[in-house]
């Protein structure tokens, strides 16, 4: 079974328990100890560790962390059932949060602080999960060969102008799935299918690697444009690797607009697990993640955008923060992901 079919099965809900690849950083238990919160997280960034340390310093609540990819952790919670020790689930991508929601594994946080901090389009309408940081799915381009006006809409990425000139990662990338899901939501399936077919026709090479590899490929002349998340480019531009910094002097970012309403954005976020044994502590952790301090720290150290419009992006992200974000509710992406993957696979997007 190929990779796309495996993911499609996962999205459809037929997820087999896979314990491999998880890392338990401290043992999460079903204890209702007032001093702990058990976190299942699919984010693996050093910046997040700093957040949990700050949270513990401020509240005295210890964060027990279990890591894995989103589907592994979802399967684990399903297997654990009502006895799951998980209090909070955190991951990147609104579609992954929706899959946990759809499995009945979130409960509403019922927090006025969360509702006030996070815009309505970046959270579940019923308060089951919240976005704490944003990333834009945009275009890296070679300014020596591409004019900014040629990549200022998503339609243009799939136009004949870029036949054989596009680099992109695989169809089962959650970021691509959510983008195509958003296009289905905005345009309907027929127009979205035509766009997907145009993307496949424009590929300079079979999909390979991650977003940073696509940016490097533009810099190396393999392709003229590439789809990427904003924070990968910012990492290259501000990181310690001189060769990567040099690449970004020859590659630019464009923020295409979807129907004139702005660039597609996705989130990282989390919610309170349905059977959380330490529910009050879970809500406190989510409220901290939504705080200006936490959003600023994530933006500074992981190069994502704050979710709250009231939290300014710190350097170096601020240099790339002056763009219009599409107002589509991110809760629309998840229900469309299975359809998106089937459409992409049928078009030959591997």
């Amino acid at each position: 079974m190929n990779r796309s079919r495996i993911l499609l099965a996962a999205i459809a809900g037929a997820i087999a328990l896979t314990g491999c690849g998880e890392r338990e950083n401290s043992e999460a238990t079903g204890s209702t100890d007032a001093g702990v919160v058990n976190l299942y997280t699919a984010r693996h960034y050093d910046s997040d560790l700093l957040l949990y340390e700050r949270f513990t310093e401020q509240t005295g609540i210890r964060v027990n962390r279990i890591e894995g990819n989103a589907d592994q952790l979802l399967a684990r919670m399903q297997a654990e059932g009502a006895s799951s020790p998980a209090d909070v689930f955190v991951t990147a991508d609104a579609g992954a949060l929706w899959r946990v929601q759809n499995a009945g594994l979130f409960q509403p946080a019922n927090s006025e602080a969360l509702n006030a901090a996070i815009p309505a389009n970046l959270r579940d309408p019923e308060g089951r999960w919240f976005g704490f940081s944003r990333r834009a799915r945009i275009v890296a381009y070679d300014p020596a060969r591409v004019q900014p006006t040629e990549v200022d809409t998503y339609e243009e990425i799939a136009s004949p102008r870029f036949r054989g000139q596009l680099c992109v990662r695989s169809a089962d990338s959650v970021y691509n799935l959510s983008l195509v899901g958003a296009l289905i939501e905005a345009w309907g399936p027929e127009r979205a299918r035509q766009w997907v077919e145009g993307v496949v026709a424009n590929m300079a090479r079979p999909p390979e690697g991650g977003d940073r590899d696509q940016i490097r490929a533009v810099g190396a002349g393999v392709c003229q444009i590439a789809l990427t998340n904003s924070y990968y480019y910012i990492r290259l531009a501000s990181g310690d690797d001189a060769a990567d910094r040099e690449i970004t002097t020859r590659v630019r970012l464009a923020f295409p607009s979807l129907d004139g309403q702005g660039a597609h954005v996705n989130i990282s976020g989390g919610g309170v697990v349905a059977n959380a044994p330490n529910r009050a502590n879970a809500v406190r952790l989510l409220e901290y993640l939504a705080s200006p301090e936490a959003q600023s720290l994530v933006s500074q150290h992981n190069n994502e955008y704050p979710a709250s419009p009231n939290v300014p992006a710190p350097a170096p992200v601020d240099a790339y923060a002056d763009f219009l974000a599409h107002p589509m509710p991110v809760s629309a992406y998840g229900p469309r992901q299975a359809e998106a993957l089937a459409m992409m696979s049928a078009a030959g997007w591997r």
Side-chain angles (χ1 to χ4, degrees):
M1 181 179 291
N2 64 29
R3 198 167 43 171
S4 294
R5 290 186 179 180
I6 291 172
L7 186 61
L8 181 57
I11 293 173
I15 304 175
L17 176 61
T18 53
C20 60
E22 296 182 15
R23 182 165 73 253
E24 302 195 12
N25 303 86
S26 53
E27 184 179 1
T29 71
S31 169
T32 55
D33 179 351
V36 303
V37 60
N38 298 321
L39 170 67
Y40 282 24
T41 178
R43 283 175 57 94
H44 316 295
Y45 305 121
D46 290 342
S47 61
D48 290 20
L49 303 184
L50 177 60
L51 293 181
Y52 308 143
E53 291 171 1
R54 293 284 186 93
F55 173 73
T56 299
E57 290 171 2
Q58 294 179 21
T59 65
I61 299 170
R62 185 176 74 256
V63 180
N64 294 329
R65 207 172 76 255
I66 289 180
E67 295 184 1
N69 72 43
D71 288 332
Q72 288 173 348
L73 295 174
L74 169 56
R76 177 171 181 151
M77 288 188 292
Q78 288 176 316
E80 291 168 340
S83 62
S84 175
D87 294 310
V88 173
F89 176 84
V90 167
T91 190
D93 183 68
L97 291 167
W98 177 83
R99 292 203 295 276
V100 176
Q101 168 195 321
N102 197 46
L105 294 175
F106 277 142
Q107 61 173 295
N110 299 321
S111 167
E112 292 183 5
L114 285 168
N115 290 337
I118 306 302
N121 70 311
L122 302 181
R123 52 183 163 91
D124 170 56
E126 297 183 23
R128 289 166 292 193
W129 50 263
F130 299 81
F132 303 124
S133 60
R134 297 178 301 145
R135 61 277 302 275
R137 191 106 185 113
I138 51 178
V139 172
Y141 69 96
D142 180 351
R145 298 190 287 172
V146 178
Q147 296 298 314
T149 54
E150 294 180 296
V151 283
D152 58 4
T153 70
Y154 286 94
E155 290 95 328
E156 289 165 320
I157 299 169
S159 74
R161 157 70 178 85
F162 292 111
R163 286 291 183 262
Q165 296 296 337
L166 169 66
C167 287
V168 65
R169 66 195 295 176
S170 64
D172 58 9
S173 162
V174 291
Y175 310 128
N176 288 337
L177 287 171
S178 283
L179 172 59
V180 175
L183 297 182
I184 295 171
E185 182 73 14
W187 294 342
E190 179 56 28
R191 186 176 172 192
R193 180 188 61 76
Q194 293 173 359
W195 185 88
V196 167
E197 290 174 350
V199 164
V200 172
N202 285 356
M203 289 180 184
R205 63 184 184 186
E208 62 178 63
D211 279 6
R212 280 173 285 197
D213 298 305
Q214 316 313 317
I215 298 167
R216 293 177 182 127
V218 174
V222 175
C223 42
Q224 295 182 9
I225 62 172
L227 276 172
T228 183
N229 278 350
S230 50
Y231 66 97
Y232 287 113
Y233 180 93
I234 301 171
R235 285 181 190 174
L236 296 184
S238 59
D240 295 330
D241 190 300
D244 281 340
R245 292 198 306 273
E246 194 277 331
I247 285 172
T248 60
T249 67
R250 295 181 282 108
V251 177
R252 298 284 185 271
L253 277 187
F255 290 78
S257 183
L258 175 56
D259 294 338
Q261 298 183 69
H264 167 79
V265 296
N266 206 331
I267 59 166
S268 284
V272 179
V273 178
N275 296 298
N278 302 291
R279 186 185 186 283
N281 292 348
V283 174
R284 290 187 70 181
L285 177 58
L286 293 182
E287 289 175 343
Y288 175 72
L289 294 177
S291 70
E293 176 186 80
Q295 290 190 54
S296 293
L297 284 172
V298 169
S299 184
Q300 178 184 354
H301 293 285
N302 204 46
N303 305 131
E304 298 173 82
Y305 300 110
S308 171
N310 299 319
V311 179
V317 180
D318 58 342
Y320 307 90
D322 186 20
F323 72 96
L324 179 66
H326 197 283
M328 181 183 293
V330 298
S331 58
Y333 306 162
R336 297 289 192 181
Q337 283 197 343
E339 182 180 5
L341 182 59
M343 180 182 295
M344 295 159 82
S345 297
W349 189 337
R350 305 305 180 205

